Amino acid sequence: MEGLLAAARRVRVNRYIDICLLLFLAVFPTFSSKFRIDVMAGFMAYVIFALSLDLLWGYTGLMSFGHAVMFGMGAYVGGLTNVFQKGVPDFMANYGITEIPPFFAPLTSPALGNVLAVILPGLLALIIGIFIFSSRVSGVFFCLITMALASAFATFTNSTQQYLGGSNGINRITRFALGDGPVDVTQNYYIILAALVLAYLFCLWLVNTRFGKALTSIAGNEDRLRFLGYRTRDFKLLVFVLSGMLAGFAGLLSVRTTGFVSPVNCGLELSTMAVVWVAVGGRGNLTGAAVGTLLINWAESILSEHIASQWQLTIGVILLLFVLFMRDGLVGAALGAQDRRRQKKLREAL
Amino acid sequence: MAILEVRSLAVSFKGFRAIDGVDMDVERGELRVIIGPNGAGKSTLMDLITAKTRPTSGSVIFDGADITGLDISAISSRHGIGRKFQGPNIFGGMTVLENVELALKGHGTLIKALFYRRTRRTLELIAGALERVGLYEKRDLPAGILSHGEKQWLEISMLLAQSPKLMILDEPTTGMTAEETYKTGELIMGLSGEHTIIAAEHDMDFVRQVASTVTVLHQGKVLAEGSIADVERDPRVVAVYLRDDGLESGEGGRA
Ligand SMILES: Nc1ncnc2c1ncn2[C@@H]1O[C@H](COP(=O)(O)OP(=O)(O)OP(=O)(O)O)[C@@H](O)[C@H]1O
Ligand SMILES: [Mg+2]
């Protein structure tokens, strides 16, 4: 029993938060309205998106202001795949298109289309990554390039009326199908929850490998790591690709939950919001990404009914407060307090 | 034959010649100490040898291969040159053991990093490297809470985990107490022979203790080279360095 207690005390606090969060999410549908269940499912897809940003920014120190592009690509590819199952969508038909264009042919297969919703964002990340990381640009430059990417992607989707629905985007996307038809709200909720658990476990595995430790060290002191014989460029490239794929996966889940995707879902705004979620929850521990995403999104959904016009301002103030007074975010602060207590004990024991 | 041959190496930063035509041969297993006043170019010379900085001219030949301007990671992984920077450079968030584990030779490629497993063999290698510097007992502490001196030893231990042919140590005793400095001297003497070592130092007690060949740098040029006794007697060295820095009394050379 004492051994068990000692072991429990050695666990880092965020693992307890993880378990509480999981239990809460597992029982959430039992006491919530259909509407709330559906909203929460959408937020859980956002959590996966935030996890992907945490790998990139929290662990590796690469702050992206364009990560919503990866999310949006997954959403668009997943959305198109879904609407193509019912033939040529209206936004195409309005332009006199009577057959699905040949370059969209792979998306007529649901399986291939859904896989591509994950693969293509990874491919985009690979191409951009090769360009960015081989020229050894600085962190600020990475921010700027990803930011430019976000506006380019929004402009592209906005202006591609006949293929991507322009500013209206793609609507009437149905939920995942199980058996003979789309699942209901609660079933969809649990599909997303299962996907979230898998994504979380994958991230947890990844950051605990030697690869993950190398990522953390890149954020800390990249040159030091290069002198230890690591080709850090390859490491950054792989994490960028994995993070892009995970963001695409989140986009796919999101679009099949909310039923629509438009340029607003994948521009600078969502990219910035994801940075805020991770900053508020705390970066570099996964738990923070989840906590921050759920807190901010629920706050937005509840408060914006009352203070809709001031919501942007509120978010700005929140971000400022965290940057000034709680740099490590909520979970980061809890972890920091625990670490300090432990180190004090260790010092006393020496 | 020398394991390291530095040939008319030079680099300028915006016209300022930080290293200005340096020739230097280091024999296999030798312990070479580089001294010189602040700004003499010691760290820059190390940057050039380890490809952190590209030379304006000249070349670096290591173990028969031209390594001038290679990729930094290849300097370590392919050619076996390990480098410790000036001041501690450890990963404070990880434990002492994890720091050495991260440095362990031969696991730096992507695939190996993803599927690396801690085995009895890797643990033995890590333990060996830690025992060498006397930090094995502290292996589970967060590296960030080690003392300044211990951090420097941890870095040396990380280098050992790389089993480098050449170890480059930039001011390994900075910030150490006299006792720690002495212990570091013993440690480094113990490592030479097995490894070739180049160390930059200010602490003359350390230099006398390890009593090896000394290269004196001054304004980017080699001013003198030889045993510590010869160098200390050299009037040019006394003029530019020993006298005005008060180093003869072994007080350290911080300006
Ligand atoms: N990247 C750089 N750009 C411009 N100047 C540089 C650069 N690196 C070094 N220098 C200059 O080159 C000179 C030599 O510096 P270096 O750091 O090699 O001296 P050092 O002998 O290691 O001194 P210290 O004992 O203080 O460590 C200094 O004047 C320094 O300002
Ligand atoms: Mg120096």
Side-chain angles (χ1 to χ4, degrees):
Chain A
M1 192 64 207
E2 257 172 46
L4 213 63
L5 266 177
R9 234 176 275 129
R10 228 174 296 128
V11 175
R12 306 197 78 202
V13 277
N14 63 329
R15 290 291 92 83
Y16 292 116
I17 303 176
D18 290 346
I19 293 169
C20 294
L21 204 57
L22 177 62
L23 290 176
F24 173 73
L25 290 174
V27 299
F28 183 79
T30 60
F31 56 81
S32 306
S33 66
K34 281 255 176 312
F35 171 72
R36 288 265 150 96
I37 295 173
D38 216 23
V39 171
M40 185 63 116
F43 291 169
M44 290 194 299
Y46 276 163
V47 170
I48 299 179
F49 177 43
L51 287 174
S52 76
L53 182 66
D54 200 21
L55 287 181
L56 193 62
W57 178 37
Y59 283 88
T60 323
L62 296 165
M63 189 176 189
S64 170
F65 271 105
H67 215 45
V69 169
M70 311 297 167
F71 178 89
M73 241 181 137
Y76 268 98
V77 174
L80 285 172
T81 302
N82 179 254
V83 294
F84 286 164
Q85 306 315 309
K86 292 162 287 189
V88 179
D90 289 347
F91 64 83
M92 286 188 181
N94 291 345
Y95 280 83
I97 298 173
T98 52
E99 264 178 62
I100 291 169
F103 52 85
F104 278 147
L107 306 189
T108 54
S109 146
L112 185 57
N114 287 340
V115 168
L116 284 174
V118 176
I119 300 284
L120 289 180
L123 211 60
L124 179 68
L126 182 70
I127 293 164
I128 300 170
I130 287 175
F131 165 66
I132 297 184
F133 299 134
S134 58
S135 55
R136 281 186 58 64
V137 298
S138 71
V140 181
F141 197 62
F142 185 79
C143 279
L144 291 177
I145 289 196
T146 48
M147 207 183 268
L149 181 73
S151 25
F153 191 73
T155 310
F156 171 72
T157 47
N158 246 320
S159 57
T160 316
Q161 200 89 27
Q162 68 274 45
Y163 295 126
L164 299 175
S167 58
N168 295 326
I170 306 166
N171 298 294
R172 287 199 289 281
I173 298 159
T174 56
R175 296 192 196 98
F176 289 109
L178 264 187
D180 36 306
V183 294
D184 67 24
V185 169
T186 311
Q187 286 171 325
N188 180 66
Y189 178 93
Y190 283 107
I191 290 175
I192 310 283
L193 179 58
L196 170 58
V197 171
L198 284 182
Y200 194 88
L201 290 176
F202 169 75
C203 291
L204 198 60
W205 168 77
L206 192 72
V207 301
N208 280 304
T209 59
R210 191 189 178 95
F211 173 75
K213 286 182 185 155
L215 294 183
T216 318
S217 312
I218 287 176
N221 190 343
E222 182 174 353
D223 264 347
R224 180 79 187 91
L225 204 61
R226 296 173 75 212
F227 279 104
L228 291 176
Y230 288 81
R231 283 170 49 108
T232 52
R233 188 197 312 159
D234 300 351
F235 284 66
K236 289 192 285 190
L237 197 57
L238 182 61
V239 77
F240 195 33
V241 170
L242 290 177
S243 163
M245 290 171 70
L246 197 57
F249 181 55
L252 168 69
L253 297 175
S254 170
V255 84
R256 298 299 291 268
T257 300
T258 60
F260 70 94
V261 56
S262 73
V264 188
N265 299 133
C266 40
L268 209 52
E269 192 181 320
L270 182 67
S271 300
T272 313
M273 283 314 296
V275 170
V276 175
W277 305 336
V278 177
V280 166
R283 59 205 178 95
N285 58 58
L286 301 180
T287 310
V291 169
T293 306
L294 294 179
L295 276 183
I296 298 278
N297 278 293
W298 275 114
E300 176 169 7
S301 120
I302 293 165
L303 292 180
S304 62
E305 289 161 22
H306 307 289
I307 52 163
S309 53
Q310 282 106 31
W311 176 247
Q312 299 278 342
L313 183 69
T314 315
I315 277 292
V317 171
I318 291 177
L319 184 61
L320 200 67
L321 289 178
F322 270 87
V323 168
L324 288 178
F325 301 112
M326 219 188 222
R327 297 211 69 142
D328 300 330
L330 295 169
V331 177
L335 281 169
Q338 190 190 28
D339 282 348
R340 272 192 299 281
R341 213 163 349 103
R342 277 186 191 167
Q343 291 186 7
K344 199 166 145 247
K345 278 215 190 101
L346 282 170
R347 282 214 188 86
E348 280 162 5
L350 281 177
Chain B
M1 201 189 80
I3 189 168
L4 179 74
E5 300 168 43
V6 173
R7 290 284 166 265
S8 15
L9 206 57
V11 71
S12 338
F13 302 111
K14 300 194 184 92
F16 169 71
R17 295 167 180 237
I19 288 291
D20 191 6
V22 167
D23 285 283
M24 183 170 85
D25 281 354
V26 179
E27 299 298 322
R28 198 178 293 272
E30 184 182 342
L31 166 54
R32 172 71 56 98
V33 180
I34 300 179
I35 62 172
N38 293 119
K42 305 181 292 293
S43 298
T44 306
L45 179 59
M46 295 181 160
D47 287 348
L48 291 169
I49 295 174
T50 55
K52 182 160 192 265
T53 306
R54 247 171 221 284
T56 322
S57 62
S59 58
V60 181
I61 314 287
F62 181 69
D63 220 359
D66 189 341
I67 59 164
T68 326
L70 282 184
D71 187 77
I72 290 180
S73 63
I75 292 284
S76 161
S77 60
R78 204 145 352 112
H79 295 279
I81 301 180
R83 163 146 191 210
K84 186 196 127 11
F85 284 89
Q86 198 166 339
N89 251 287
I90 45 128
F91 301 108
M94 291 190 233
T95 66
V96 169
L97 187 140
E98 284 172 331
N99 266 278
V100 179
E101 186 169 41
L102 193 67
L104 212 54
K105 184 191 170 78
H107 299 278
T109 62
L110 272 184
I111 300 294
K112 286 192 174 148
L114 275 172
F115 299 105
Y116 166 85
R117 291 225 164 280
R118 204 177 268 185
T119 61
R120 190 189 303 190
R121 208 187 98 74
T122 61
L123 277 176
E124 270 168 15
L125 289 172
I126 297 167
L130 280 172
E131 266 159 9
R132 202 79 194 248
V133 300
L135 282 177
Y136 183 70
E137 301 304 322
K138 300 200 169 172
R139 63 190 175 281
D140 290 326
L141 294 188
I145 72 169
L146 294 180
S147 75
H148 195 85
E150 286 171 335
K151 283 181 186 161
Q152 309 249 45
W153 290 332
L154 174 56
E155 263 207 277
I156 293 178
S157 168
M158 287 166 76
L159 285 192
L160 287 174
Q162 301 240 294
S163 48
K165 286 190 258 181
L166 172 64
M167 293 174 83
I168 297 190
L169 309 172
D170 201 348
E171 306 202 10
T173 72
T174 318
M176 288 186 175
T177 62
E179 198 184 328
E180 286 173 331
T181 301
Y182 182 77
K183 194 182 148 191
T184 308
E186 296 283 289
L187 171 65
I188 290 175
M189 281 197 286
L191 294 174
S192 64
E194 189 183 334
H195 307 268
T196 309
I197 300 175
I198 302 178
E201 255 309 335
H202 275 293
D203 190 309
M204 292 310 282
D205 285 338
F206 170 90
V207 180
R208 289 187 197 102
Q209 181 193 353
V210 301
S212 59
T213 314
V214 176
T215 300
V216 185
L217 275 189
H218 178 55
Q219 293 176 350
K221 291 194 175 74
V222 176
L223 185 69
E225 200 167 88
S227 74
I228 179 71
D230 290 346
V231 164
E232 276 185 310
R233 249 183 275 116
D234 190 320
R236 289 169 306 169
V237 176
V238 174
V240 304
Y241 182 38
L242 295 168
R243 183 172 293 152
D244 34 88
D245 271 5
L247 275 175
E248 277 174 313
S249 50
E251 312 237 40
R254 293 274 152 219

